[in-house]
Amino acid sequence: MRRVEPRQLPLVFADSPQGSKGADASGVPEGKAFLQHTARARRTQGSTATAAAGERLLEEAALASNMARALLHVARNKGAAGVDGKSVDEVVAESHWLLSLLRRELLSGRYRPGDVRRVWIPKPGGGQRGLGIPNVVDRWVQQAVHQVLEPVFEPIFHNSSHGFRPRRGASTAIAEATAHLAEGRSWVVGIDLSKFFDRVNHQRLLARLGQRVRDGRLLRLVGQMLKAKVVLPDGTRVTTEQGTPQGGPLSPLLSNVVLDELDREMERRGLHFVRYADDFNVFVGSERAGRRVMASLTRFIERRLRLKVNVDKSEVARPAEVHFLGFSLHLQADGTVEVHLSKRSRERLDAKVRELTPRNWGRSLSECIETTNRYLNGWGGYFRLCTGEGAQIFQRYDAHIRRRIRVIIVRQKKRPRHLYRHLISRSVSGKAAARTAWRSCGPWKKSNLPGMTRGYPNAWFYARLVSLWSSWTQAQLSSEASGQSFLPGFEMST
C-alpha cells in the first residue's frame, strides 16, 4: 500500500463504486448487510490462531468475520471523523471492498495507522482533557485487535478490576466497595493518577503485552498505534512518546494491562481494593493504616510504574467524603451501607439542569422538555445504583426541574396580561390567575404561586417529563420482581 499524508489507506478517499450505498430488500444499507453476513460466517479452516496460543494473533485479528464484527462495533458507537474526514457511515458503505484491502495490508505488514485528531473536552472539575480521535479505519483496526487480545488477558485480570470488562461495571464495583465497608473497613484511601492515559510508558506496556502475546507482528502493530502522531487543533503534528490512544477502542484494554501490575501488587500486600480503570480505592480499618498505605502505594506507582500520583486529589477519608464513580458510600450504625450521590455528582447535576432549563429559553417548551428527558434518561439509568436513603434526593430534583420549567413558561409570556390569559386557558380560576400574573415578584417566585401550580400541576409533568424518582422506583420494583439487585450479590436497602 502506498503511504499518503496523513498516513492512511489511500482508497478510503476514493469515490465509492456505484450502488455501494444502496439497501437490500430488508431495508438494511448494503454495507451494513455485507458486514452482518460476513460476521456470521465461519472461520476459515486454514486459520490456526487461538487466543490461548497467542502466536498467530495477527491472523486472528485479520479474519474477515472478526474484522466485520469490529466495524459493526465501531458503527454502533458512532463517533466523529478523524483527520481524514471520513465518517463512520462512509467507511461502512465502502466496507465490501475495504475489508479485503485492509486484511491484505495487515497481513503483509504494510498497514500504517493514520494521525490522531486531538480535541479538548472540559473536565467536570475544571480544566480540559485531551481526547484523541483516530480515523475510522484505525478505530476499525483497533477494535479488531481488541477482540483478539481481550480473550488473552481477560482471564488473568484481577477480580477487583471492574472497568471496561465484560459483565462488569460500576454496579459490580460499587457492590464490592459496599462489601468491604460492611466488613468493617471504614476508612478509604483514594488515589488519583495524574493524566494517566498521557503518561503510560510504551516500553513497559509492550513488555507486559509480550508476556502473553508471542506474535511479534501484532506487538509491532500495537506499537505503531501508540506512536501515531497527534494533530492539534491548530494543525500542528506532534510525536507521541508516551501515553495510550485515549479515545480509541484499544485504550481501555491497554490501561487494564498496565494497571494489572498495580492490582497484583496490592493483592500481594493483602490490601482490599476496588479499581475502575484509573480510579481506585483501598479500604482499611484505620486512618493510620490509610496513611501508611497511601505512602507505600505512591512510591510503587511513581517508581515502578513510572506514573504520577496527584497528591492534591488523593486522600484518606471516611467513605461518605470520597467520590467514587459518582457515588459516596455511607456506613450506617447498624453496619449497612447506603449508596448516595457524591457531592461532586450533585454539583454536576445542578449545573446541567441550569444549562438544560435556562430562564431565557427561546425555543418551544416541548423542545426543552425533550432535551431534558434525553439527559435524565441516561443520567437516571446510571445513578439508579443509589439505595433507598440515597435516592430520596431524586424527589427534590424532580420538583426543582418542574419549577424551572414553570419559570420558563412565565418568562416566555413576558407581560402579566399574556400570562393571565394563558393561565385562564389552562382552566385556572380568574382570581388565582390574576394573583399570579400581577403579583409584584420575580419569575422564580411566580412559578410556585397557585396559578402556576394549578395550570401546570405535577400530573401534567408526569405525562411529559422524565421523573428521576419514578424511574428509580420502577427500576427497583422490576429488579426485585426478577430476584436481582442493582448491586449484584447484595440486598438493596429500601
Side-chain angles (χ1 to χ4, degrees), residues 349 370-385 466 468 471:
L349 182 57
E370 181 182 353
T371 304
T372 303
N373 281 343
R374 282 198 299 268
Y375 179 78
L376 294 180
N377 271 323
W379 190 94
Y382 179 81
F383 285 100
R384 68 175 188 169
L385 299 179
V466 169
L468 294 176
S471 299

PDB file of all heavy atoms in Angstrom, residues 349 370-385 466 468 471:
ATOM      1  N   LEU A 349     -24.938  17.736  38.417  1.00  0.00           N
ATOM      2  CA  LEU A 349     -26.345  17.692  38.017  1.00  0.00           C
ATOM      3  C   LEU A 349     -26.982  19.072  38.139  1.00  0.00           C
ATOM      4  O   LEU A 349     -27.763  19.484  37.275  1.00  0.00           O
ATOM      5  CB  LEU A 349     -27.105  16.670  38.858  1.00  0.00           C
ATOM      6  CG  LEU A 349     -28.590  16.493  38.513  1.00  0.00           C
ATOM      7  CD1 LEU A 349     -28.767  16.120  37.053  1.00  0.00           C
ATOM      8  CD2 LEU A 349     -29.232  15.440  39.411  1.00  0.00           C
ATOM      9  N   GLU A 370     -37.999  17.761  25.781  1.00  0.00           N
ATOM     10  CA  GLU A 370     -37.409  16.632  25.054  1.00  0.00           C
ATOM     11  C   GLU A 370     -35.904  16.532  25.317  1.00  0.00           C
ATOM     12  O   GLU A 370     -35.369  15.449  25.569  1.00  0.00           O
ATOM     13  CB  GLU A 370     -37.678  16.793  23.557  1.00  0.00           C
ATOM     14  CG  GLU A 370     -37.129  15.658  22.704  1.00  0.00           C
ATOM     15  CD  GLU A 370     -37.381  15.873  21.224  1.00  0.00           C
ATOM     16  OE1 GLU A 370     -38.099  16.841  20.878  1.00  0.00           O
ATOM     17  OE2 GLU A 370     -36.864  15.083  20.410  1.00  0.00           O
ATOM     18  N   THR A 371     -35.226  17.665  25.269  1.00  0.00           N
ATOM     19  CA  THR A 371     -33.782  17.670  25.534  1.00  0.00           C
ATOM     20  C   THR A 371     -33.484  17.257  26.966  1.00  0.00           C
ATOM     21  O   THR A 371     -32.557  16.475  27.224  1.00  0.00           O
ATOM     22  CB  THR A 371     -33.211  19.075  25.281  1.00  0.00           C
ATOM     23  OG1 THR A 371     -33.522  19.481  23.953  1.00  0.00           O
ATOM     24  CG2 THR A 371     -31.697  19.090  25.468  1.00  0.00           C
ATOM     25  N   THR A 372     -34.277  17.755  27.896  1.00  0.00           N
ATOM     26  CA  THR A 372     -34.091  17.395  29.305  1.00  0.00           C
ATOM     27  C   THR A 372     -34.345  15.915  29.526  1.00  0.00           C
ATOM     28  O   THR A 372     -33.619  15.255  30.273  1.00  0.00           O
ATOM     29  CB  THR A 372     -35.030  18.239  30.187  1.00  0.00           C
ATOM     30  OG1 THR A 372     -34.780  19.628  29.950  1.00  0.00           O
ATOM     31  CG2 THR A 372     -34.808  17.935  31.653  1.00  0.00           C
ATOM     32  N   ASN A 373     -35.362  15.379  28.869  1.00  0.00           N
ATOM     33  CA  ASN A 373     -35.676  13.955  29.029  1.00  0.00           C
ATOM     34  C   ASN A 373     -34.533  13.063  28.563  1.00  0.00           C
ATOM     35  O   ASN A 373     -34.233  12.039  29.191  1.00  0.00           O
ATOM     36  CB  ASN A 373     -36.947  13.609  28.249  1.00  0.00           C
ATOM     37  CG  ASN A 373     -38.209  14.028  28.976  1.00  0.00           C
ATOM     38  OD1 ASN A 373     -38.182  14.297  30.177  1.00  0.00           O
ATOM     39  ND2 ASN A 373     -39.311  14.084  28.258  1.00  0.00           N
ATOM     40  N   ARG A 374     -33.915  13.433  27.459  1.00  0.00           N
ATOM     41  CA  ARG A 374     -32.800  12.616  26.955  1.00  0.00           C
ATOM     42  C   ARG A 374     -31.683  12.531  27.984  1.00  0.00           C
ATOM     43  O   ARG A 374     -31.113  11.462  28.221  1.00  0.00           O
ATOM     44  CB  ARG A 374     -32.268  13.196  25.632  1.00  0.00           C
ATOM     45  CG  ARG A 374     -33.118  12.879  24.432  1.00  0.00           C
ATOM     46  CD  ARG A 374     -32.343  13.078  23.141  1.00  0.00           C
ATOM     47  NE  ARG A 374     -31.910  14.464  22.986  1.00  0.00           N
ATOM     48  CZ  ARG A 374     -32.609  15.394  22.341  1.00  0.00           C
ATOM     49  NH1 ARG A 374     -33.778  15.097  21.809  1.00  0.00           N
ATOM     50  NH2 ARG A 374     -32.139  16.627  22.226  1.00  0.00           N
ATOM     51  N   TYR A 375     -31.387  13.664  28.589  1.00  0.00           N
ATOM     52  CA  TYR A 375     -30.319  13.662  29.590  1.00  0.00           C
ATOM     53  C   TYR A 375     -30.734  12.893  30.842  1.00  0.00           C
ATOM     54  O   TYR A 375     -29.972  12.082  31.374  1.00  0.00           O
ATOM     55  CB  TYR A 375     -29.952  15.091  29.964  1.00  0.00           C
ATOM     56  CG  TYR A 375     -28.878  15.163  31.020  1.00  0.00           C
ATOM     57  CD1 TYR A 375     -27.544  14.958  30.689  1.00  0.00           C
ATOM     58  CD2 TYR A 375     -29.196  15.392  32.357  1.00  0.00           C
ATOM     59  CE1 TYR A 375     -26.549  14.999  31.650  1.00  0.00           C
ATOM     60  CE2 TYR A 375     -28.207  15.440  33.331  1.00  0.00           C
ATOM     61  CZ  TYR A 375     -26.889  15.241  32.974  1.00  0.00           C
ATOM     62  OH  TYR A 375     -25.922  15.272  33.933  1.00  0.00           O
ATOM     63  N   LEU A 376     -31.939  13.127  31.324  1.00  0.00           N
ATOM     64  CA  LEU A 376     -32.391  12.485  32.561  1.00  0.00           C
ATOM     65  C   LEU A 376     -32.507  10.975  32.397  1.00  0.00           C
ATOM     66  O   LEU A 376     -32.257  10.222  33.343  1.00  0.00           O
ATOM     67  CB  LEU A 376     -33.730  13.067  32.996  1.00  0.00           C
ATOM     68  CG  LEU A 376     -33.729  14.539  33.423  1.00  0.00           C
ATOM     69  CD1 LEU A 376     -35.123  14.971  33.837  1.00  0.00           C
ATOM     70  CD2 LEU A 376     -32.738  14.781  34.558  1.00  0.00           C
ATOM     71  N   ASN A 377     -32.888  10.512  31.220  1.00  0.00           N
ATOM     72  CA  ASN A 377     -32.966   9.063  30.990  1.00  0.00           C
ATOM     73  C   ASN A 377     -31.601   8.414  31.155  1.00  0.00           C
ATOM     74  O   ASN A 377     -31.455   7.388  31.820  1.00  0.00           O
ATOM     75  CB  ASN A 377     -33.517   8.777  29.594  1.00  0.00           C
ATOM     76  CG  ASN A 377     -35.026   8.673  29.569  1.00  0.00           C
ATOM     77  OD1 ASN A 377     -35.633   8.147  30.501  1.00  0.00           O
ATOM     78  ND2 ASN A 377     -35.648   9.167  28.509  1.00  0.00           N
ATOM     79  N   GLY A 378     -30.581   9.005  30.531  1.00  0.00           N
ATOM     80  CA  GLY A 378     -29.234   8.453  30.659  1.00  0.00           C
ATOM     81  C   GLY A 378     -28.681   8.598  32.062  1.00  0.00           C
ATOM     82  O   GLY A 378     -28.088   7.656  32.605  1.00  0.00           O
ATOM     83  N   TRP A 379     -28.886   9.757  32.651  1.00  0.00           N
ATOM     84  CA  TRP A 379     -28.387  10.004  34.000  1.00  0.00           C
ATOM     85  C   TRP A 379     -29.046   9.068  35.002  1.00  0.00           C
ATOM     86  O   TRP A 379     -28.377   8.450  35.838  1.00  0.00           O
ATOM     87  CB  TRP A 379     -28.653  11.458  34.381  1.00  0.00           C
ATOM     88  CG  TRP A 379     -27.990  11.913  35.642  1.00  0.00           C
ATOM     89  CD1 TRP A 379     -26.781  12.548  35.751  1.00  0.00           C
ATOM     90  CD2 TRP A 379     -28.489  11.782  36.980  1.00  0.00           C
ATOM     91  NE1 TRP A 379     -26.500  12.817  37.068  1.00  0.00           N
ATOM     92  CE2 TRP A 379     -27.535  12.350  37.849  1.00  0.00           C
ATOM     93  CE3 TRP A 379     -29.639  11.230  37.512  1.00  0.00           C
ATOM     94  CZ2 TRP A 379     -27.703  12.377  39.223  1.00  0.00           C
ATOM     95  CZ3 TRP A 379     -29.811  11.251  38.897  1.00  0.00           C
ATOM     96  CH2 TRP A 379     -28.850  11.833  39.731  1.00  0.00           C
ATOM     97  N   GLY A 380     -30.356   8.932  34.918  1.00  0.00           N
ATOM     98  CA  GLY A 380     -31.071   8.068  35.850  1.00  0.00           C
ATOM     99  C   GLY A 380     -30.722   6.606  35.679  1.00  0.00           C
ATOM    100  O   GLY A 380     -30.701   5.843  36.658  1.00  0.00           O
ATOM    101  N   GLY A 381     -30.436   6.187  34.442  1.00  0.00           N
ATOM    102  CA  GLY A 381     -30.061   4.796  34.222  1.00  0.00           C
ATOM    103  C   GLY A 381     -28.767   4.430  34.922  1.00  0.00           C
ATOM    104  O   GLY A 381     -28.594   3.297  35.373  1.00  0.00           O
ATOM    105  N   TYR A 382     -27.846   5.385  35.013  1.00  0.00           N
ATOM    106  CA  TYR A 382     -26.578   5.123  35.698  1.00  0.00           C
ATOM    107  C   TYR A 382     -26.733   5.252  37.213  1.00  0.00           C
ATOM    108  O   TYR A 382     -26.305   4.377  37.972  1.00  0.00           O
ATOM    109  CB  TYR A 382     -25.509   6.094  35.203  1.00  0.00           C
ATOM    110  CG  TYR A 382     -24.170   5.915  35.888  1.00  0.00           C
ATOM    111  CD1 TYR A 382     -23.295   4.914  35.485  1.00  0.00           C
ATOM    112  CD2 TYR A 382     -23.776   6.747  36.935  1.00  0.00           C
ATOM    113  CE1 TYR A 382     -22.065   4.740  36.109  1.00  0.00           C
ATOM    114  CE2 TYR A 382     -22.562   6.578  37.567  1.00  0.00           C
ATOM    115  CZ  TYR A 382     -21.701   5.573  37.148  1.00  0.00           C
ATOM    116  OH  TYR A 382     -20.498   5.401  37.781  1.00  0.00           O
ATOM    117  N   PHE A 383     -27.365   6.323  37.676  1.00  0.00           N
ATOM    118  CA  PHE A 383     -27.412   6.595  39.106  1.00  0.00           C
ATOM    119  C   PHE A 383     -28.551   5.872  39.825  1.00  0.00           C
ATOM    120  O   PHE A 383     -28.825   6.150  40.980  1.00  0.00           O
ATOM    121  CB  PHE A 383     -27.486   8.105  39.352  1.00  0.00           C
ATOM    122  CG  PHE A 383     -26.174   8.796  39.136  1.00  0.00           C
ATOM    123  CD1 PHE A 383     -25.922   9.478  37.958  1.00  0.00           C
ATOM    124  CD2 PHE A 383     -25.182   8.736  40.096  1.00  0.00           C
ATOM    125  CE1 PHE A 383     -24.699  10.108  37.748  1.00  0.00           C
ATOM    126  CE2 PHE A 383     -23.960   9.356  39.908  1.00  0.00           C
ATOM    127  CZ  PHE A 383     -23.721  10.044  38.730  1.00  0.00           C
ATOM    128  N   ARG A 384     -29.183   4.945  39.155  1.00  0.00           N
ATOM    129  CA  ARG A 384     -30.171   4.116  39.839  1.00  0.00           C
ATOM    130  C   ARG A 384     -29.499   3.205  40.871  1.00  0.00           C
ATOM    131  O   ARG A 384     -30.182   2.540  41.652  1.00  0.00           O
ATOM    132  CB  ARG A 384     -30.940   3.262  38.844  1.00  0.00           C
ATOM    133  CG  ARG A 384     -30.101   2.182  38.160  1.00  0.00           C
ATOM    134  CD  ARG A 384     -30.959   1.306  37.281  1.00  0.00           C
ATOM    135  NE  ARG A 384     -30.187   0.158  36.779  1.00  0.00           N
ATOM    136  CZ  ARG A 384     -30.720  -0.880  36.164  1.00  0.00           C
ATOM    137  NH1 ARG A 384     -32.024  -0.922  35.966  1.00  0.00           N
ATOM    138  NH2 ARG A 384     -29.981  -1.881  35.747  1.00  0.00           N
ATOM    139  N   LEU A 385     -28.169   3.170  40.876  1.00  0.00           N
ATOM    140  CA  LEU A 385     -27.446   2.376  41.873  1.00  0.00           C
ATOM    141  C   LEU A 385     -27.604   2.938  43.281  1.00  0.00           C
ATOM    142  O   LEU A 385     -27.298   2.256  44.260  1.00  0.00           O
ATOM    143  CB  LEU A 385     -25.953   2.313  41.520  1.00  0.00           C
ATOM    144  CG  LEU A 385     -25.586   1.666  40.184  1.00  0.00           C
ATOM    145  CD1 LEU A 385     -24.081   1.703  39.976  1.00  0.00           C
ATOM    146  CD2 LEU A 385     -26.087   0.244  40.111  1.00  0.00           C
ATOM    147  N   VAL A 466     -39.522  13.206  32.270  1.00  0.00           N
ATOM    148  CA  VAL A 466     -38.959  12.067  32.993  1.00  0.00           C
ATOM    149  C   VAL A 466     -38.840  12.407  34.474  1.00  0.00           C
ATOM    150  O   VAL A 466     -38.322  13.470  34.837  1.00  0.00           O
ATOM    151  CB  VAL A 466     -37.576  11.687  32.425  1.00  0.00           C
ATOM    152  CG1 VAL A 466     -36.867  10.684  33.329  1.00  0.00           C
ATOM    153  CG2 VAL A 466     -37.726  11.115  31.024  1.00  0.00           C
ATOM    154  N   LEU A 468     -37.073  11.324  37.869  1.00  0.00           N
ATOM    155  CA  LEU A 468     -35.972  10.511  38.384  1.00  0.00           C
ATOM    156  C   LEU A 468     -36.459   9.569  39.479  1.00  0.00           C
ATOM    157  O   LEU A 468     -36.054   8.406  39.544  1.00  0.00           O
ATOM    158  CB  LEU A 468     -34.866  11.420  38.922  1.00  0.00           C
ATOM    159  CG  LEU A 468     -34.137  12.289  37.882  1.00  0.00           C
ATOM    160  CD1 LEU A 468     -33.146  13.207  38.577  1.00  0.00           C
ATOM    161  CD2 LEU A 468     -33.432  11.415  36.855  1.00  0.00           C
ATOM    162  N   SER A 471     -38.664   6.761  37.919  1.00  0.00           N
ATOM    163  CA  SER A 471     -37.825   5.818  37.171  1.00  0.00           C
ATOM    164  C   SER A 471     -37.049   4.921  38.117  1.00  0.00           C
ATOM    165  O   SER A 471     -36.938   3.709  37.890  1.00  0.00           O
ATOM    166  CB  SER A 471     -36.863   6.586  36.257  1.00  0.00           C
ATOM    167  OG  SER A 471     -37.570   7.360  35.314  1.00  0.00           O
TER     168      SER A 471
END
